[in-house]
Amino acid sequence: MDFLDLLRAMFALAITLGIIGLAAWGARRYAPQLLARLSAERGERRMKVVETLMLDPARRLVLVRIDDEERLLMLGEGRELIEPRGDAK
């Protein structure tokens, strides 16, 4: 393999990685809007993530609304903690 073949292979690798990076950027930028449009066509969903909060790299809080009840979930470290929110029945 001479220098020209090596240079051609490096150029092809750079182009391929650039295309993959561009596709990843496009998916992060435009895919959430497309997915929201597709899910809106299915009708009303019963479960919805209201808000998330990162506590640290291993744990986060997620506020979830199911029907008309909200629950607070703490996710991470291999365990989940579920706390009801609102009126205790």
Side-chain angles (χ1 to χ4, degrees):
M1 180 188 277
D2 61 350
F3 181 72
L4 189 58
D5 288 337
L6 182 62
L7 189 62
R8 188 178 304 151
M10 295 295 279
F11 184 70
L13 179 63
I15 294 273
T16 303
L17 290 177
I19 290 172
I20 291 172
L22 187 63
W25 175 80
R28 292 186 88 184
R29 173 120 171 111
Y30 298 111
Q33 295 169 355
L34 293 175
L35 292 175
R37 286 184 200 158
L38 291 175
S39 65
E41 293 173 0
R42 290 189 216 162
E44 187 69 26
R45 305 290 272 185
R46 291 182 53 208
M47 186 168 67
K48 179 180 179 183
V49 175
V50 177
E51 190 173 345
T52 62
L53 175 66
M54 293 295 294
L55 297 176
D56 56 39
R59 296 178 302 160
R60 70 177 163 178
L61 289 173
V62 180
L63 183 61
V64 179
R65 179 176 294 134
I66 302 172
D67 293 330
D68 287 328
E69 181 181 354
E70 289 185 346
R71 294 201 175 234
L72 184 63
L73 310 173
M74 187 167 89
L75 306 175
E77 297 179 352
R79 55 191 145 135
E80 293 81 27
L81 176 67
I82 302 172
E83 286 294 321
R85 204 160 174 233
D87 297 334
K89 294 181 182 178

